[in-house]
Amino acid sequence: MIYFAISYFILVVSLGKLYREIIVVSMLIMSISDSTAAVIGSFISVGNYNLSGNNKTVLGTVSFFVSTFIILIMAPVYTQVFYNLTYHFFYNLIIALILALQLSLIEGLSSKGTDNLFVPIYSAVFLFLVINPINTINIEQYLLGVFLSFLMVYFSLRLKFLNKSGSIATFLLANSVFGLGSFKWTIPIVTFFVLSSLLSKLRSNNKKSAERYYEKTGVRDYKQVFANGGIAGILVILNSIHPNEIYYLLYVAVIATVCSDTWSTELGTLFNSVTYSIIGFKETQQGTSGGVSVIGTIGGVFGSVIIAIVSFSFTTYNIFYFFLIILISSFLGNISDSILGATVQQSFKCTVCEKNTERAEHCGRPAILTKGFSFINNDIVNVVAGTFSIAICIIIYYLIFI
């Protein structure tokens, strides 16, 4: 009932009628489809799975998909959503299928009630983009994006770049980037993903000793995918809602930052290079959070240069200023990642081998927290560092162009 109460409240605020109805449809999807999935899944436990900490059932997810699809197909009957679109019923059918699939994956991936937040938000944004008069979704392009996302996930699973939760997160993220952004936005993030995954696989295969101390392995999960690409996906959506070239600059900056950070880590631990803590520059164990090395620093710069090279031909900015902004913001973002890793990121000490590790459990026993906060892990640090690089990018942009 709380969702209907919220919907009623939104109806009385000063939004346009069509946009109010979009929010109502999104709330209906959450309230009806989620309840249907919960009821059916609790009574008929067929095909249990657990992607992010909560047990789900395949039948419950299928019922969520069917309920959502029916609500979206019926939307034009009781609202103006889809009503004035060119392709009418066939167009509505394709949109309903795509959105129902995406929302079902979000619901299956969610845990601890987070679907109550992300399902209505995602559906409202998607429906808004469908009817947005400024920059409406090109359905053919979006379908191509869905197909390319599927291919990317398929080969990533085969090559063990992703686990199951990571593959779903990548599919959802790639839908937004490929479907809304075309090749201009696709090439930078695909370049980062493919090259960084290959480096991670090379490092994990050749440096098993370093792998033991990382919280994450070379196979990415959904948290890593969203931590590295979530901000980029939001920027693509913002550009679709209100097109502005600065969003692409920020997008490239954040991709260059996560690429720089990943390459620093992978190349720094791939070789037997001396590692120092970025705080105090005392020699430290290789693989320690906040550790830096000459090879890792050079690798990080090279990673950001690669992203800048594959991106500059799509922008209208002067090439010198473009490279200057991207390289400075990504380098400082990478440095901030190391500083956070050395100060506030959780770090443990194994009670068996007495080595520093990012893992709360090591050598089969709980490790002791020796530094940082237990709720700040590598994924949170990556998000903060990416946000910081965006702030630096904006500052440099205004210093140069304003």
Side-chain angles (χ1 to χ4, degrees):
M1 293 298 294
I2 188 171
Y3 293 107
F4 290 105
I6 294 174
S7 299
Y8 179 79
F9 172 79
I10 292 172
L11 279 172
V12 300
V13 301
S14 58
L15 289 173
K17 181 175 183 294
L18 185 56
Y19 300 132
R20 294 202 303 267
E21 291 177 344
I22 286 175
I23 296 174
V24 171
V25 170
S26 300
M27 292 298 182
L28 284 174
I29 290 172
M30 187 63 248
S31 56
I32 296 176
S33 298
D34 188 57
S35 300
T36 302
V39 170
I40 293 179
S42 61
F43 282 100
I44 310 175
S45 299
V46 177
N48 291 312
Y49 66 93
N50 188 327
L51 296 175
S52 59
N54 276 22
N55 290 321
K56 308 276 185 173
T57 66
V58 172
L59 191 59
T61 300
V62 171
S63 66
F64 185 97
F65 171 83
V66 173
S67 299
T68 301
F69 179 73
I70 292 173
I71 291 171
L72 290 170
I73 286 297
M74 294 296 293
V77 175
Y78 53 87
T79 71
Q80 292 294 307
V81 178
F82 303 150
Y83 211 77
N84 298 318
L85 296 177
T86 305
Y87 298 106
H88 295 298
F89 181 75
F90 178 74
Y91 188 86
N92 301 352
L93 184 67
I94 298 298
I95 292 173
L97 284 170
I98 292 174
L99 184 53
L101 172 62
Q102 293 173 332
L103 294 179
S104 299
L105 293 176
I106 291 173
E107 193 277 334
L109 190 61
S110 301
S111 63
K112 300 178 181 178
T114 53
D115 54 337
N116 296 337
L117 173 66
F118 293 117
V119 167
I121 288 178
Y122 189 94
S123 58
V125 171
F126 186 92
L127 291 174
F128 173 79
L129 289 173
V130 168
I131 63 161
N132 180 17
I134 298 175
N135 196 18
T136 306
I137 287 179
N138 183 311
I139 192 63
E140 292 83 6
Q141 176 182 309
Y142 204 89
L143 285 173
L144 177 61
V146 171
F147 176 71
L148 292 176
S149 302
F150 174 79
L151 288 181
M152 183 176 178
V153 168
Y154 173 77
F155 286 111
S156 296
L157 280 171
R158 292 293 300 271
L159 295 171
K160 296 183 178 180
F161 291 163
L162 302 166
N163 63 16
K164 291 180 181 178
S165 69
S167 65
I168 292 176
T170 299
F171 181 79
L172 292 169
L173 181 63
N175 276 190
S176 298
V177 177
F178 297 0
L180 299 177
S182 70
F183 289 105
K184 172 180 178 178
W185 299 75
T186 298
I187 289 176
I189 199 168
V190 169
T191 301
F192 156 69
F193 176 78
V194 173
L195 295 182
S196 297
S197 296
L198 289 172
L199 271 180
S200 297
K201 186 62 64 176
L202 179 65
R203 188 261 300 166
S204 62
N205 290 338
N206 291 276
K207 294 289 289 186
K208 296 293 184 182
S209 58
E211 184 86 2
R212 293 176 58 220
Y213 305 111
Y214 284 126
E215 179 188 3
K216 307 290 186 176
T217 66
V219 182
R220 288 177 167 82
D221 61 15
Y222 76 101
K223 292 181 181 178
Q224 286 173 285
V225 171
F226 287 136
N228 287 320
I231 297 175
I234 292 172
L235 289 169
V236 175
I237 293 173
L238 288 175
N239 184 74
S240 297
I241 296 173
H242 183 71
N244 192 315
E245 186 66 13
I246 194 174
Y247 287 127
Y248 186 69
L249 187 67
L250 301 178
Y251 174 84
V252 176
V254 74
I255 295 295
T257 299
V258 295
C259 187
S260 177
D261 173 57
T262 302
W263 284 39
S264 290
T265 301
E266 305 302 346
L267 291 175
T269 52
L270 180 62
F271 299 97
N272 293 319
S273 55
V274 180
T275 304
Y276 302 91
S277 173
I278 196 168
I279 304 296
F281 289 97
K282 294 181 179 180
E283 189 171 337
T284 187
Q285 170 190 313
Q286 194 176 45
T288 302
S289 299
V292 295
S293 66
V294 174
I295 293 177
T297 302
I298 294 173
V301 173
F302 188 65
S304 59
V305 168
I306 290 293
I307 298 302
I309 288 174
V310 301
S311 307
F312 82 89
S313 62
F314 298 106
T315 184
T316 58
Y317 294 113
N318 176 279
I319 184 172
F320 173 78
Y321 289 133
F322 179 79
F323 271 81
L324 180 68
I325 293 172
I326 298 303
L327 296 184
I328 292 177
S329 58
S330 61
F331 178 77
L332 293 179
N334 191 5
I335 293 297
S336 71
D337 187 284
S338 297
I339 293 174
L340 292 170
T343 54
V344 299
Q345 181 180 334
Q346 61 183 15
S347 180
F348 301 89
K349 187 173 184 177
C350 179
T351 57
V352 178
C353 67
E354 297 187 346
K355 294 289 188 179
N356 295 323
T357 176
E358 294 180 352
R359 300 184 181 186
E361 183 177 307
H362 200 261
C363 294
R365 294 185 182 180
I368 300 173
L369 181 68
T370 58
K371 184 183 63 178
F373 300 93
S374 59
F375 58 89
I376 300 180
N377 60 11
N378 185 253
D379 295 324
I380 293 176
V381 167
N382 287 341
V383 172
V384 174
T387 305
F388 180 74
S389 70
I390 287 179
I392 295 298
C393 184
I394 293 173
I395 292 172
I396 300 173
Y397 174 85
Y398 276 96
L399 288 176
I400 293 175
F401 296 108
I402 303 300

